[in-house]
Amino acid sequence: MRESEFLRARRPEHKQQRRAAILAAARELALRSGVRTVSLRAVAAAAGLAKSNVVRYFGTREEIYLELAAEEWQDWKQAVTERLRAADGPGDVVDALAETLEARPLLCDLLGYAAASLEHNVSLDAARAFKVALLDVGAEIGTEVARATGLTNGEGLELVGTATALAAFLYPIAHPPPVLAELYAQEPWIAAARPPFLPTLKRALTAFLAGLPTLRRRQGTD
């Protein structure tokens, strides 16, 4: 849709189309070059809008990406819940969490920037919407984890939180910037020290999951 058509749009469905176009442009740019590199001006240009029109729908670049993070979070819930409902024991749970996160690089990238930058330049309403989505989805997935493992719901939520935090940390290591990619190509011994995303995530989650019942018993909360 051309910008002139956007400017004439007044009906609610047209406004929703504008929001969807902005989010789609931001998603494509982030997938292409990473969340960190995308500016509000670039999103506006990709959506075929002036920057001033974009801010009528999203006050800041960060608000765009917080909403995308919530969308990605919901998408992950659908995929991981399906895997968890078919899980038979802790190993299947770890595989489900880790493999569905690996399949969602944009989610991992967004989660890596959420607390560090995306939550720092948004309205109260945008922050609230993001946090509510995060907590609601986390609790739902945590319940499925608990059912498949024998953990408590709270422990299931802890495992989910650990999985996403580790994924956010490991993702940029697994996808280095150009200068580090060149360094690793020149110095394989340095590259060898870089932890691989999926095996590292699975190993850490396996250890964390195994330790939760022990910690519960030591705290006397069984």
Side-chain angles (χ1 to χ4, degrees):
M1 186 177 287
R2 298 189 302 273
E3 184 173 353
S4 60
E5 294 173 317
F6 272 119
L7 290 172
R8 289 194 300 270
R10 292 293 181 269
R11 298 175 63 179
E13 60 267 30
H14 293 160
K15 293 179 180 179
Q16 187 57 39
Q17 288 174 2
R18 294 181 186 183
R19 289 182 63 87
I22 293 166
L23 289 169
R27 180 189 301 275
E28 178 61 29
L29 290 171
L31 285 169
R32 188 186 311 162
S33 59
V35 172
R36 181 184 63 84
T37 68
V38 183
S39 67
L40 185 61
R41 189 176 302 279
V43 173
L49 290 166
K51 182 179 174 181
S52 59
N53 287 325
V54 173
V55 298
R56 294 178 184 175
Y57 296 90
F58 299 94
T60 63
R61 163 193 176 274
E62 289 76 13
E63 287 191 12
I64 296 172
Y65 280 111
L66 270 193
E67 184 155 332
L68 272 181
E71 287 186 2
E72 288 291 308
W73 193 247
Q74 291 285 350
D75 177 73
W76 179 55
K77 182 190 78 170
Q78 299 300 322
V80 76
T81 296
E82 183 177 342
R83 289 279 303 269
L84 289 170
R85 286 175 179 168
D88 184 18
D92 285 351
V93 168
V94 167
D95 288 348
L97 292 170
E99 290 170 8
T100 54
L101 284 167
E102 184 194 37
R104 287 162 176 76
L106 180 56
L107 174 61
C108 295
D109 196 15
L110 286 164
L111 290 175
Y113 286 103
S117 62
L118 298 184
E119 296 175 350
H120 290 221
N121 188 30
V122 296
S123 68
L124 183 62
D125 286 344
R128 180 183 293 110
F130 175 66
K131 288 298 190 183
V132 168
L134 216 63
L135 292 172
D136 286 349
V137 169
E140 289 184 47
I141 301 173
T143 298
E144 292 295 333
V145 167
R147 181 201 56 77
T149 58
L151 296 174
T152 67
N153 286 349
E155 290 166 347
L157 178 58
E158 281 187 78
L159 187 66
V160 173
T162 299
T164 54
L166 285 171
F169 170 74
L170 290 169
Y171 177 81
I173 298 174
H175 301 82
V179 65
L180 284 183
E182 183 178 353
L183 173 63
Y184 295 151
Q186 293 179 6
E187 306 288 353
W189 66 275
I190 296 178
R194 179 178 50 156
F197 183 92
L198 191 58
T200 304
L201 182 55
K202 286 187 176 184
R203 181 178 175 83
L205 292 180
T206 298
F208 189 79
L209 192 159
L212 283 170
T214 300
L215 181 61
R216 189 196 324 139
R217 288 192 294 270
R218 287 182 177 177
Q219 292 175 335
T221 57
D222 265 346

